[in-house]
Amino acid sequence: MGNFTVEEMLSMQKELQDKYKDKWEAICPETGKNKLLWMIGEIGEVIDIIKKNGDKKPIENSEIRQHLLEEMSDILMYYNDILLCYGISEDELKQAYISKFKLNMKRW
């Protein structure tokens, strides 16, 4: 299996959004904050999995691990929705990430 790129995730998320456009909020800057809030809710679900099961069970127990992966995927889906809402491309994200990485490498 090859790399799974941001561009692939964005494309899949666009397809999902198109399929449910009559049921879900539109992808636009005005709904970006709502998508962010939904993503934070999903982060809370990941935290609950770790809190309830400890640090090692998600590694050792396949059922708990699967639940963790599902919730992590939800986070990524909302993350991609946010990118779509603000029209952020894979290349823009890459450049910003590299810039921030370089800054952090010099920080401490």
Side-chain angles (χ1 to χ4, degrees):
M1 184 185 331
N3 294 333
F4 188 44
T5 67
V6 171
E7 190 60 40
E8 286 174 294
M9 285 190 287
L10 286 171
S11 177
M12 291 171 72
Q13 201 62 24
K14 283 179 194 173
E15 184 179 343
L16 194 60
Q17 287 295 332
D18 286 344
K19 180 174 182 168
Y20 295 107
K21 66 183 173 194
D22 296 330
K23 296 180 186 218
W24 292 356
E25 287 182 303
I27 292 294
C28 59
E30 293 78 19
T31 62
K33 73 174 181 198
N34 295 344
K35 300 295 184 179
L36 182 58
L37 291 170
W38 282 105
M39 185 180 77
I40 291 169
E42 296 298 337
I43 292 169
E45 291 187 33
V46 169
I47 292 166
D48 283 344
I49 292 169
I50 302 301
K51 186 171 66 176
K52 290 176 183 173
N53 296 288
D55 297 327
K56 293 184 181 175
K57 278 191 183 174
I59 296 168
E60 300 164 349
N61 182 299
S62 62
E63 190 175 313
I64 294 170
R65 184 174 186 80
Q66 184 59 40
H67 188 205
L68 177 67
L69 287 167
E70 287 174 12
E71 297 305 332
M72 293 294 293
S73 295
D74 285 342
I75 293 168
L76 280 173
M77 287 181 166
Y78 280 114
Y79 177 80
N80 281 292
D81 277 348
I82 295 162
L83 294 177
L84 292 171
C85 282
Y86 296 108
I88 298 170
S89 70
E90 178 181 38
D91 191 55
E92 283 180 297
L93 184 62
K94 179 181 178 181
Q95 294 307 315
Y97 191 93
I98 290 169
S99 177
K100 187 66 175 190
F101 173 81
K102 288 177 181 177
L103 179 67
N104 284 338
M105 288 299 286
K106 296 176 186 175
R107 235 178 225 181
W108 296 282

